Structure formats: structure tokens, C-alpha cells
Amino acid sequence: MHRTQPRRGRIAPAAAAALLCSLAVVAVALWGLLGGGPTPAAADFGTPGAGVERRDAVPSPGVADAPAGATPTAAARAGAERPGTREASVEAAATDRGPRPVRLLAPELGLDVPLDAVGVTGAGLMEIPEDADRAGWYRHGPRPGDAEGSAVVAGHVDDRAGPGAFLALTRAEKGMTVSIVREDGSQLDYTVTARQTTDKKELRLDDLFDREGPPRLQLVTCTGAWSERAGSYSDNLVLTAVPAT
Amino acid sequence: MRKVTTTSAIALMAGASTVALAGPAMADNHEASVSVLHAVPGLTVDVYVNGEETVPDFEPGTLTDPLTLPEGSYDIAVYADGDDPESAEPAISAEGVEVPGGANVTLAAHLAEDGTPMLSAFANDTSMLDAGQARLTVRHAAAAPAVDVRAGGSPVVEGLTNPGEQVLDLEAAMVSADVVLAGTEEVVLGPADLDLMEGTNTIVYAWGSAEDGTLDLAVQTIDGLHGDPGGVPSGQGGLAGAGPVMAILLMAGAAGAVLAGSRLVRREAA
């Protein structure tokens, strides 16, 4: 203390002020560049896994589970197991997959977003509607209303012009209601249980696009720092909701 | 995931002795999934596996759910419904059908090109698909000459003969498919709307007899082969429009700090 004290008098106030100002500018710029800025930081809550009971790893689709119990011989096994049979016609193979989702509502967030049925891009990523006022439902995965699996709806947090509808997800709170309106006019209500922000490189895609397990709705957008070079944000924000009881 | 090279239909003519089923065995998997398709017109049958009645009262145009069988060698016999295996001759039989562990197999009772009943064991391709993709497998199991299969009017499979197959991976979609005599426009089957679902192997069999006017299509599906999208690119940078501005600010700020700092240092040194 005593050693530095005398020096103080010698510091030019102007230069010191300039230094402080410059450092402040650096701080602001860093904050702006490194993610405090572009998208509002949204705290995580809940765990996407909450209430989502994972079943054991599903065996390769081609290989059905072995029935429990001893299997003395191949012959006995083959004889013991009598498979069900079904008609193999084209008509019988056609599956009714239920009505498609067409709108997402979140009254508490002021959200009323039309949905497009989307697939994958040429690069193998989930397709997102260009228009940030719309969102995409991943049509290859589960539908809202299906008995199991994660229905995925994703929207841009922004477009070149500014904020997108899904920016509102950063304001979502646990227990909020979000709803899906389907093409037949029916409405499904969900309760928000979790929000997670994850580095895109670490996003559990198999979990997000899970076709099994309890039914849930997962809303996805981007957050974190914008990389001009990559043309993308660093993180994904995933909001998980389960059917309202 | 392994990629099964198909076109491994193995025809087992009645009375054939030993037949190995093509299809790679999975190292640590000693069970196979076996479905049975009945594609012989006009004959309800009982199917016996290793002497045990496994599929009773099996109607033409029907398919069993997959059976889980330990890898090994199987004797298959198909009797007319109600016939006693002790006394009656089987309508079709095959001995020593090798079923490798890890395989997914469809055993089809069908007609040969000349109309003789036969058994074919087809190895089903259950390798994983990319997100958005569907697999179409086409099998010729009919008493009919070579055919082409068209989707949306253009041939996707050409010159397919009994008991051959062809496998295609394509974008998931609803397609209108028909079957024509090879190299002609003469439609023998269809058109039929096929929902080629993503992540699913849709296996279409042409079966029956051209001569008897019993040609038909049978469809088997194997799902769960889907891949996940590689990511969710859900931002376009509009909110970060300040990005370049911030970068300039950062550089300006840093330069300012260096300048001011150096002045301070110089003063102190003085």
C-alpha cells in the first residue's frame, strides 16, 4: 500500500481516464461478441429427462428381443413361439399417423406461430423455415399426440431483419402452457418442464429426436454467441414440455 | 452399422438339401429375426419349423410377425392346412436352412416363374438410413416373366426376375408405383400408392400367377432404421447484427488502452 500510494500522485488523470474508458469499451465489445449480448441469456431449469423414463437401449431394429425364459433347443423355441399374422396388402401397410400440427401457441409469451412440416437439408440438418415468424415441425419424427417420442418444433431465433418468434422461448418459465393446434382443429396442451442451453456440438440429437419414450414436445431455437464465419450461433436452446394433465 | 449387400435371395426348391442364407453374422448376436410370408395363391397351409407346427392356418397374402430364432440350421415344411405331417407329403419343404445370428430374414413361400411352389429366404437390409431417407426393396416372387418397377412413371428397377430383388435408398415420400413387363409399357400390377416412410425398409413383393390372373402386391415394412438430423441451425444472425461493430469497438478500445497505458508508463518513468 505504502509503496504504491506515492505513485498515485504522479498518474496523469487524463491518461488514467483514457485507459479506463478504453478498457470499458473493450469490456463492452467483448460482452457483445462473446454471447452476453446477441441473444438474451436464458437460465436452464428442469431436466429434459425429468419424467422421461428411458427404456433400455433398443436392440437393432432387425433383431427382436428374446422372450424371457429358458430356450432349451432351437426346435422347441421355434415350436413354442407362434407368431401373429397379418394381411400383407398395400392397403394394410398404409399407416394412419394422425393429424399434423399446424400452429404453436404460447399465450403467456405472446406466441402464435404457424408451423411448416419440415424435413432435412442437403447437409443433413433439420430444415428450419426461412421466415423467422414461422417454425418447423420435424415431420419424420413423432407427431404431437403420438403415444410416444419427442415431437420437435424449431424456429429461428432471428433472421437477417431482426428477432424471430422463438426469441420468446428465452422468457419461458417452468409450468407455462404451450399448445399445438392440429390440422383437424384439435388442440393439445403441454406444460413446460425444462429449458436447457447446450453447445451445438454437444446437443444430444438422439435424445432430441427420440422416437420412443414418453410423449413430449421439444421446442428448439438458437442462442449463445453469433459466429459470423460459421454463420451460426454457438448454442441451442431446448424447451421441453409434456402433455398437460 | 453394417450394410447388407442384398440380392441374396436363395431359392429353395422343394426337396433341396442344404442352403446357406447369405447375410453377415453379427459378432455378438446369436439370434435372428425371421418373418414368414405366404405368397402361394389359393392354398391355406400350416408351416412347420424343425417338425413343430409354427404357423397354423396360414392364408395366402399374409405375413407373420417376426419370430426370434437362435442362429442355426432349420428344416422348413409347408403342408396343406390340416394335413398330418406323419402321413402327408409337404407341399413345399427345405432342409438345413442356415439362419445366421444377427440376420433379419423373410422366408417366403411363393411360386417360381414356372408356377411351381417354392421357398425363398430373403435377407432384409436393416442397415441404418440417413435422416430423411427411406429404403425400398422390390422382390419378384410371382409366376411371371421379368418385370420393371416404375415409380411415378419412370423405371426404378429394371429386368427383375423371380426370385430376385433390388434395394434402393431414396428420399422418403409417397410414390405411385406400378409393375410392367420388362422393357414394355404393359402394366401387370398397380399403380399402387406406397408410403415410403422415413427410416423404414418397405419391402414390396410381386406374387401370384400372371397366367391365372392372381398377380398381386404384398408389403412388409421394417421400421426403426432412421437416422437423426445432424443439428438444428435455428438462427441467422439478425440479433447479432452488432457483431462486426463490436469487433471494431474491441479493436478501437484495445488500441486506446495501449495508447493510454503507454502514456501512463512514460509519465511514471519520467
Side-chain angles (χ1 to χ4, degrees):
Chain A
M1 277 308 263
H2 286 284
R3 297 189 114 201
T4 54
Q5 201 69 9
R7 286 181 174 235
R8 242 195 176 167
R10 281 195 264 153
I11 293 174
L19 178 61
L20 283 177
C21 281
S22 300
L23 290 175
V25 167
V26 168
V28 166
L30 277 176
W31 176 77
L33 280 175
L34 298 181
T39 56
D44 289 351
F45 59 78
T47 49
V52 176
E53 210 172 294
R54 292 287 310 177
R55 298 193 309 202
D56 289 334
V58 179
S60 150
V63 186
D65 264 327
T71 55
T73 66
R77 263 295 287 289
E81 192 182 353
R82 283 191 174 178
T85 62
R86 61 202 160 81
E87 205 191 322
S89 66
V90 172
E91 295 73 28
T95 44
D96 179 17
R97 278 173 289 173
R100 292 175 170 226
V102 292
R103 275 194 115 69
L104 172 76
L105 308 175
E108 288 158 276
L109 300 173
L111 270 186
D112 179 353
V113 186
L115 301 180
D116 298 335
V118 298
V120 288
T121 66
L125 304 176
M126 180 175 169
E127 207 180 336
I128 314 285
E130 277 294 304
D131 182 349
D133 293 330
R134 305 181 70 85
W137 158 67
Y138 187 61
R139 68 173 191 269
H140 298 311
R143 299 182 171 206
D146 279 0
E148 48 177 25
S150 163
V152 180
V153 172
H156 283 307
V157 69
D158 59 16
D159 57 22
R160 293 285 171 192
F166 268 28
L167 178 59
L169 299 189
T170 55
R171 291 187 282 115
E173 283 169 24
K174 196 166 186 166
M176 268 186 181
T177 298
V178 294
S179 305
I180 290 285
V181 179
R182 301 191 286 179
E183 58 189 340
D184 63 354
S186 61
Q187 182 173 324
L188 302 169
D189 293 337
Y190 292 82
T191 305
V192 172
T193 56
R195 179 173 58 209
Q196 289 277 314
T197 297
T198 313
D199 187 306
K200 279 185 182 171
K201 292 188 284 291
E202 281 151 28
L203 183 65
R204 287 281 309 278
L205 293 161
D206 54 343
D207 209 55
L208 178 61
F209 292 101
D210 191 6
R211 299 194 186 186
E212 296 176 338
R216 54 217 192 266
L217 172 67
Q218 303 213 76
L219 308 177
V220 188
T221 193
C222 280
T223 188
W226 173 255
S227 161
E228 194 68 38
R229 201 168 51 128
S232 67
Y233 286 101
S234 60
D235 300 342
N236 276 124
L237 182 148
V238 180
L239 202 66
T240 304
V242 299
T245 46
Chain B
M1 202 71 192
R2 80 215 155 89
K3 177 83 185 169
V4 180
T5 27
T6 32
T7 56
S8 53
I10 294 166
L12 312 174
M13 298 303 292
S17 54
T18 305
V19 178
L21 228 174
M26 278 179 170
D28 54 352
N29 197 324
H30 302 292
E31 291 184 326
S33 177
V34 180
S35 305
V36 187
L37 174 72
H38 183 353
V40 177
L43 182 70
T44 299
V45 299
D46 301 325
V47 179
Y48 287 73
V49 176
N50 287 353
E52 295 279 339
E53 187 177 35
T54 303
V55 195
D57 308 330
F58 198 25
E59 305 264 357
T62 60
L63 175 75
T64 67
D65 295 332
L67 277 158
T68 302
L69 299 180
E71 64 184 351
S73 173
Y74 291 90
D75 296 337
I76 314 291
V78 179
Y79 291 89
D81 182 29
D83 272 5
D84 182 357
E86 293 296 319
S87 51
E89 282 296 307
I92 324 170
S93 69
E95 289 172 4
V97 178
E98 292 294 334
V99 175
N104 185 306
V105 175
T106 302
L107 188 65
H110 65 97
L111 298 178
E113 184 171 346
D114 66 3
T116 319
M118 64 186 282
L119 283 169
S120 290
F122 294 97
N124 302 319
D125 186 346
T126 55
S127 56
M128 297 304 275
L129 288 156
D130 289 339
Q133 296 280 297
R135 181 167 296 137
L136 172 64
T137 303
V138 185
R139 291 175 177 160
H140 190 325
V147 296
D148 297 340
V149 179
R150 305 188 301 184
S154 50
V156 289
V157 172
E158 293 181 273
L160 187 66
T161 56
N162 186 328
E165 70 167 358
Q166 204 152 321
V167 183
L168 311 159
D169 289 354
L170 62 180
E171 206 147 299
M174 185 73 99
V175 298
S176 174
D178 62 7
V179 179
V180 297
L181 291 178
T184 74
E185 301 282 307
E186 193 185 328
V187 177
V188 291
L189 267 173
D193 287 332
L194 296 177
D195 189 0
L196 303 182
M197 281 179 61
E198 194 250 4
T200 298
N201 184 355
T202 301
I203 306 168
V204 182
Y205 302 82
W207 66 284
S209 160
E211 203 177 289
D212 300 342
T214 54
L215 287 181
D216 205 349
L217 294 174
V219 179
Q220 174 185 9
T221 55
I222 299 174
D223 61 14
L225 311 181
H226 57 272
D228 296 321
V232 186
S234 47
Q236 300 179 76
L239 288 174
V245 175
M246 290 297 175
I248 291 165
L249 261 185
L250 176 67
M251 285 184 283
V258 168
L259 199 69
S262 64
R263 285 192 71 135
L264 268 181
V265 170
R266 244 182 282 142
R267 267 197 93 88
E268 281 181 41

